[in-house]
Amino acid sequence: MTSWTQLPLACFDLETTGIEVGADRVVTAYSGRINGADVTPRRWLADPGIDIPAAATEVHGITTEYARKHGRPHADVIAEVVTDLYQIWDTGYVIAVFNGAFDFSMLASHHPGFEIRGPIFDAYVADKHFDKWRKGRRKLVDVGAHYGVRPETAHDAEGDALVAARLAWKLPRVYPDLADYTPDELMAAQADWYREQAYSFIDYLRRHDKPFTDVQTSWPLYTPKAHAA
C-alpha cells in the first residue's frame, strides 16, 4: 500500500470569532494545493453575522466592521469551503492541518452533513505522540519553531496552513516511522493518539481537582455535544 507521504499535499486552516464550536463562527479560511514550490491558494473572508470579540481581533486582525464591509455571507463561505475540501480529497490529496479537529468540527457545526472524505495529517497530534515528554507549549508557533519551521505571518489562516504543510513534510523525516503508514492507517493511528492524549490530560485534570467534562476525545471531528449552539 502507498505511504501517505506519496500523496500530493494540501493544507487548510480557519480563523474564527472564538473557540466555542457551534457558538462561534468562521472569519477567514484558507486552503492551498501544493506542487513543489508552487501553491494554488483559495482564500475566504466571511461576515460571521456576530460581533468579533476584541480578543479574536488581536489574534487574526479582522474587526467586526471590516468583516461586515468586506466579508461574504457566513453560510455561503462555509458551503464553499466544504465543497473545496471535498474537491481536494476527491483529487487524491492529503490535507495538512494543525489541531484540525477544531477546524473540521467548526465546519461541521455550521454545515450539517459535513464529513471527512479523505486523509488528514495533523502535526499537533503527531508531534505530541512522537515527542511525548517534551516540555513547553504546543501551540503552532512553538511546534513550528521546534522543527525549524517559522510562519511568515502568525495567526493568519494562510500562514498557519502553510506552516502545517511544512510540518507535514518535516515530521516524517524527523520520525521515519510516520512514513510507514498508509492513508487509512494514518487516520486510524491519529484518532488513537488523540484519544490517548485526551485521556492523559483528563487524568492530569482529575489529579489537580479541575473540571474535565469538556475535554474532547474524538478526532478528527468532535463528538456531537460540542456542536450545540
Side-chain angles (χ1 to χ4, degrees), residues 27 45-48 52 62-72:
V27 179
L45 171 63
D47 173 3
I52 301 173
I62 306 297
T63 64
T64 301
E65 293 73 23
Y66 186 88
R68 285 175 179 167
K69 182 175 181 180
H70 300 284
R72 296 176 52 229

Side-chain angles (χ1 to χ4, degrees), residues 188-202:
Q190 289 177 112
D192 288 342
W193 300 339
Y194 187 92
R195 184 170 54 253
E196 292 167 2
Q197 292 158 14
Y199 282 128
S200 177
F201 184 47
I202 289 170

Side-chain angles (χ1 to χ4, degrees), residues 36-141:
D38 297 325
V39 181
T40 303
R42 290 202 67 183
R43 304 175 180 90
W44 293 267
L45 171 63
D47 173 3
I50 61 175
D51 289 343
I52 301 173
T57 296
E58 288 179 7
V59 172
H60 51 61
I62 306 297
T63 64
T64 301
E65 293 73 23
Y66 186 88
R68 285 175 179 167
K69 182 175 181 180
H70 300 284
R72 296 176 52 229
H74 188 260
D76 292 352
V77 168
I78 294 294
E80 286 186 14
V81 170
V82 168
T83 297
D84 186 61
L85 292 178
Y86 287 168
Q87 290 172 347
I88 289 172
W89 279 318
D90 287 347
T91 48
Y93 286 80
V94 56
I95 299 179
V97 293
F98 190 87
N99 197 17
F102 170 79
D103 301 83
F104 294 123
S105 298
M106 180 67 75
L107 289 180
S109 73
H110 295 293
H111 190 91
F114 172 73
E115 58 186 359
I116 304 299
R117 293 188 178 180
I120 300 158
F121 177 75
D122 193 332
Y124 175 74
V125 178
D127 169 62
K128 289 180 73 176
H129 175 74
F130 282 92
D131 200 356
K132 185 175 184 179
W133 305 112
R134 187 175 79 246
K135 301 293 186 182
R137 290 157 54 91
R138 300 281 183 141
K139 300 291 187 182
L140 177 59
V141 65

